[in-house]
Amino acid sequence: MKKEKPVVIGGNNDFVGAFSMFTAEISEFDLLGFEHVVEDLDFDYEPLLISTQVVAGENLKFIANATSKKSPRWFLAEIDIFRSLKGEFSLIKVGVVEVDFNFLTK
C-alpha cells in the first residue's frame, strides 16, 4: 500500500482537494490580505481571479498580473495564500501560470 505525502503549509507542495471555481469577485478582506503578503516581493501583483478551499481556515488561490519593479517584464502568476481562523494571512507560494498561445489556424 502506497503511503500518501501530507500537505505541508509553507512547503512547495501543491494544494490538494476541491477548490471553488475561479471568480473575479474578490472580497475587500481577501484583497487586503493579498496586498499585505505580496507587498515586499520583487514584483507588483494585481489580482484578477480567486478560488478558495475551506480547511481549518481557508486556502486562497489567486491568478494575478505580475509586473517587475526593475524591468518591463510581466507574466501571469498563481499566488497561494493561507488565511487562518484568526484572519491572519500567510504566503504559501508564488508560481508562474504557463499559457499556450499556439492556437490552431486554418
Side-chain angles (χ1 to χ4, degrees):
M1 186 173 198
K2 187 176 178 184
K3 189 174 183 179
E4 298 279 331
K5 283 180 137 181
V7 175
V8 179
I9 299 298
N12 290 327
N13 297 332
D14 289 330
F15 293 135
V16 295
F19 272 84
S20 66
M21 295 293 289
F22 278 101
T23 179
E25 296 176 15
I26 302 170
S27 74
E28 189 173 332
F29 186 66
D30 289 340
L31 183 58
L32 288 171
F34 173 88
E35 290 171 352
H36 173 73
V37 300
V38 300
E39 68 185 349
D40 294 331
L41 301 178
D42 291 337
F43 285 80
D44 289 322
Y45 295 96
E46 176 190 353
L48 303 172
L49 302 169
I50 186 173
S51 176
T52 59
Q53 177 188 43
V54 177
V55 291
E58 194 166 24
N59 291 323
L60 308 171
K61 185 180 293 287
F62 289 89
I63 301 297
N65 279 328
T67 308
S68 174
K69 294 178 181 177
K70 299 175 183 175
S71 71
R73 255 182 65 205
W74 73 273
F75 60 92
L76 288 177
E78 175 187 319
I79 301 172
D80 295 335
I81 296 172
F82 174 72
R83 183 178 65 211
S84 73
L85 293 173
K86 295 180 181 179
E88 298 165 338
F89 290 85
S90 302
L91 179 64
I92 305 301
K93 80 173 186 180
V94 177
V96 175
V97 175
E98 295 184 25
V99 180
D100 183 3
F101 290 106
N102 293 322
F103 299 108
L104 294 176
T105 59
K106 288 185 177 184

